[in-house]
Amino acid sequence: MSDIVHSSAAELAARIADREVTSVEVTQAHLDRIAAVEPAVHAFLHVDSERALAKAAEVDAKIGNGESVGPLAGVPLALKDVLTYSGAPTTCGSRILQDWVPPYDATVTKRLLAADIVILGKTNMDEFAMGSSTENSAFGPTHNPWDLDRIPGGSGGGSSASLAAFEAPLAIGTDTGGSIRQPAAVTGTVGVKPTYGGTSRYGLVALASSLDQPGPCARTVLDAALLHEVIAGYDPADSTSINAPVPPIVQAARSGDISGMRIGVVKEFAGEGYAPGVEHRFAEAVELLAGLGAEIVAVSCPNFRYAMPAYYLILPSEASSNLAKFDAMRYGLRVGDDGVASAEEVMAATREAGFGAEVKRRIMIGTYALSSGYYDAYYGQAQKVRTLIINDFARAYEQVDVLVSPTTPTTAFKIGEKVDDPLAMYLNDLCTIPSNLAGNASASFPVGLAPEDGLPVGLQVIAPPLADDRLYRVGAALERVLTEQWGGPLLSRVPDLGGPELEVVA
Amino acid sequence: MTLSREEVAALGRLARIELSAEELDHLAPQLDQILEHVAQVSEVAAADIQPTSHPLPLTNVFRADEPKPCLTVEAALSGAPAVEGNRFRVPRILGEEA
């Protein structure tokens, strides 16, 4: 007896390849789980049952014919609704794209399908990936499976919640300032932001083009590495794609050897504003890493304190420009086109009706920062701070191989608690933002539950650009020793979501 | 720094977002608070620091100018709010005074 939805992607793929279970059975088990728990969790904006089952049947046939298939063939996945998948709506959590069905596939989507992965549907997110809680979705918030009254992180809260609720063993996220890592931290899952340029942005609806990066989300370190390998690599359709071999991430995830690795603890990411349980679990995990043979060094990155203000100038500036394409002319919502109103009036009325409060705030901040007279003081100065942050990283990597910090200063907060306080919300990304500004590789791994509230805590690992394999080495080492300590995976402690009996096969 | 209601309305016009009176009241103090926070970047003495616009050194990417398969007219128009013939139908471009 073995429980399909609680299995890792690697286990499922092996069992499908060995014909112990079919991909159709695995896919149906996840669709049943989705039907059972979605009323409580709301991780999905669209469930694509028919195409998922058809794809699963196709994979089963391939395997039946003895054709060779990839290491994740037949395994279901949840795709963040910011990546195009032709034939399914891509809304980005926004009313302005409510009924838009893209006529093309993102490169990430193409690679998933080519690897015979089964796409279950599209996951909920903060509108255009602006947020840390998924509350900015125009279609209602997603609930954290650990406590349904709490946020699952954001912007990729749908992807993280789908993993923690056992609705999918794999998910895709995108990370502009922490939207893969912070949701992973608050749901006890694994999330990796690859090196900027390591995964293709083609078909990813852009928020801030110099920061956005798609990446893998999973429940285990190996699953994340296997998925990372599927989606990574050079893409001529993305002008910022790096034409270099993908680092040996799967090998690193299988090894987990960190003996002799120099690990830097970022001094600035501690103290005021950090929950005691977060600091406690983080410190414990660092001890464990030392016990496994890593050398722990305290590292100072003095300009990181300016990362958040610089980010909240650079991101809105790029976003205000990227979101100018939502002009009601070629796709998406159009409001007030009465035959009299001008294109400009229709555009303004459509953007008023189609964008939510946070999107409007950021577009206006960006418009302000880029306007003449303010450009040098705001956007120009923020770009200089970006250089200083890159220099801080460069100095740190002279001393250490990776940096670590808590992923986010607190555990999951209550839905509604910060929704109308933009600055309080922005603080969730304090520790994750520097990696996006520098374009390096960064990940969050679960390190336990905070004693005071029983909610998951994540540890962030940051590696230099193109050293993504180091993230997996540290993640695998932690996972191995912690799983043993806990007597099983952390996610086995997620409360029962009240669905019917889980699918069990002989 | 205090951003007035009128300045927020002007930003809305520049960003092509119509804003209701309630939204202006709500947004002005929030934008003000955010701008006050981000203004911290001016504390950094960075006169001799090169700005970074992008994490990777960017060079222009050229490819041969050869026709390749692309979206069909039907696919390109599939998401259009209004279509006339094989084209996007859009509201009038010129205003009354033009």
Side-chain angles (χ1 to χ4, degrees):
Chain A
M1 300 284 278
S2 162
D3 185 350
I4 289 179
V5 300
H6 282 110
S7 301
S8 72
E11 287 160 10
L12 289 173
R15 292 177 58 204
I16 292 168
D18 291 346
R19 301 173 72 177
E20 271 176 48
V21 62
T22 65
S23 174
V24 167
E25 286 169 317
V26 168
T27 301
Q28 189 60 55
H30 284 94
L31 290 170
D32 292 346
R33 176 70 178 167
I34 288 171
V37 303
E38 268 302 276
V41 179
H42 190 232
F44 285 86
L45 291 176
H46 175 75
V47 180
D48 210 341
S49 314
E50 244 174 69
R51 280 202 294 180
L53 288 167
K55 178 74 180 179
E58 192 189 306
V59 180
D60 287 334
K62 265 193 184 179
I63 293 168
N65 292 336
E67 289 176 45
S68 76
V69 291
L72 290 173
V75 177
L77 171 142
L79 184 62
K80 190 178 179 185
D81 203 26
V82 70
L83 287 146
T84 58
Y85 176 25
S86 55
T90 296
T91 70
C92 300
S94 181
R95 294 237 174 270
I96 214 160
L97 282 179
Q98 185 156 4
D99 297 313
W100 184 59
V101 178
Y104 72 109
D105 286 335
T107 297
V108 165
T109 309
K110 271 190 211 149
R111 290 185 179 175
L112 294 170
L113 294 171
D116 286 317
I117 289 171
V118 174
I119 299 175
L120 292 170
K122 307 294 292 287
T123 55
N124 199 14
M125 56 186 280
D126 286 298
E127 185 175 7
F128 290 110
M130 299 186 199
S132 307
S133 68
T134 317
E135 292 167 290
N136 294 333
S137 167
F139 309 111
T142 296
H143 301 262
N144 191 326
W146 287 90
D147 176 348
L148 295 170
D149 292 332
R150 291 178 190 266
I151 59 102
S155 65
S159 286
S160 66
S162 74
L163 297 171
F166 300 99
E167 295 173 282
L170 297 172
I172 293 288
T174 60
D175 194 310
T176 306
S179 287
I180 288 176
R181 290 162 286 160
Q182 181 259 3
V186 299
T187 56
T189 58
V190 175
V192 179
K193 183 199 91 68
T195 297
Y196 182 85
T199 49
S200 170
R201 293 183 298 110
Y202 180 76
L204 156 62
V205 181
L207 166 55
S209 307
S210 81
L211 305 164
D212 297 341
Q213 198 62 194
C217 310
R219 288 193 294 259
T220 73
V221 176
L222 177 61
D223 284 359
L226 290 167
L227 181 57
H228 188 155
E229 193 159 75
V230 165
I231 61 171
Y234 179 60
D235 177 18
D238 173 358
S239 66
T240 57
S241 176
I242 298 175
N243 195 351
V246 179
I249 46 184
V250 172
Q251 194 193 325
R254 291 193 199 277
S255 144
D257 179 10
I258 56 160
S259 56
M261 193 186 252
R262 295 165 305 162
I263 297 181
V265 177
V266 182
K267 278 188 207 165
E268 283 75 12
F269 290 151
E272 200 195 323
Y274 289 76
V278 169
E279 294 211 301
H280 178 72
R281 292 298 178 219
F282 173 73
E284 269 182 2
V286 171
E287 283 287 302
L288 286 175
L289 293 170
L292 293 168
E295 183 193 334
I296 309 296
V297 185
V299 172
S300 177
C301 297
N303 292 295
F304 280 15
R305 57 183 292 231
Y306 297 110
M308 195 172 116
Y311 175 85
Y312 278 101
L313 284 163
I314 291 167
L315 178 139
S317 298
E318 294 190 22
S320 69
S321 166
N322 274 326
L323 270 64
K325 67 172 156 286
F326 298 104
D327 57 7
M329 299 298 134
R330 292 150 299 151
Y331 47 81
L333 188 69
R334 180 183 288 182
V335 169
D337 183 13
D338 55 5
V340 180
S342 69
E344 201 172 307
E345 286 162 347
V346 168
M347 206 181 293
T350 301
R351 287 159 69 83
E352 155 73 346
F355 287 146
E358 180 63 12
V359 174
K360 288 175 185 167
R361 279 192 288 262
R362 294 206 199 177
I363 288 176
M364 285 197 284
I365 293 287
T367 304
Y368 184 83
L370 293 176
S371 55
S372 73
Y374 296 104
Y375 183 95
D376 289 340
Y378 286 96
Y379 185 64
Q381 187 71 11
Q383 287 185 309
K384 290 180 172 185
V385 170
R386 192 169 186 177
T387 306
L388 294 173
I389 285 160
I390 292 171
N391 293 348
D392 276 5
F393 274 119
R395 263 192 303 275
Y397 290 128
E398 285 167 11
Q399 302 170 57
V400 297
D401 301 307
V402 295
L403 292 169
V404 294
S405 76
T407 306
T408 184
T410 69
T411 56
F413 48 91
K414 288 249 166 75
I415 291 175
E417 203 178 299
K418 301 181 184 180
V419 75
D420 208 28
D421 187 350
L423 268 186
M425 193 68 95
Y426 295 172
L427 285 168
N428 289 292
D429 296 334
L430 198 63
C431 311
T432 45
I433 281 170
S435 283
N436 300 81
L437 291 172
N440 59 28
S442 192
S444 178
F445 302 106
V447 289
L449 305 178
E452 65 264 30
D453 56 19
L455 292 166
V457 174
L459 174 138
Q460 176 176 241
V461 186
I462 311 173
L466 292 175
D468 305 44
D469 51 316
R470 292 183 201 167
L471 308 175
Y472 288 100
R473 218 167 256 282
V474 177
L478 278 174
E479 180 180 63
R480 206 167 292 163
V481 62
L482 284 168
T483 308
E484 193 177 318
Q485 212 176 71
W486 297 328
L490 192 65
L491 283 164
S492 65
R493 295 189 235 170
V494 174
D496 178 22
L497 292 168
E501 281 298 294
L502 293 172
E503 184 79 12
V504 171
V505 291
Chain B
M1 169 191 345
T2 335
L3 212 54
S4 70
R5 222 168 156 276
E6 288 64 38
E7 284 169 310
V8 176
L11 279 178
R13 281 192 296 278
L14 284 174
R16 304 284 185 274
I17 303 174
E18 221 174 82
L19 294 169
S20 66
E22 300 83 67
E23 268 182 306
L24 287 176
D25 290 338
H26 201 66
L27 277 169
Q30 286 183 337
L31 295 182
D32 216 45
Q33 194 197 13
I34 297 169
L35 286 174
E36 198 184 305
H37 177 80
V38 298
Q40 283 179 62
V41 295
S42 62
E43 289 170 15
V44 183
D48 53 346
I49 303 292
Q50 284 297 311
T52 299
S53 65
H54 209 273
L56 297 173
L58 288 183
T59 49
N60 197 16
V61 180
F62 288 105
R63 66 166 167 79
D65 185 17
E66 286 158 4
K68 279 197 275 186
C70 63
L71 291 182
T72 60
V73 172
E74 293 73 39
L77 292 173
S78 63
V83 172
E84 209 172 287
N86 269 347
R87 296 177 175 83
F88 295 101
R89 191 189 68 71
V90 299
R92 66 188 171 83
I93 304 297
L94 300 176
E96 294 288 331
E97 313 86 71

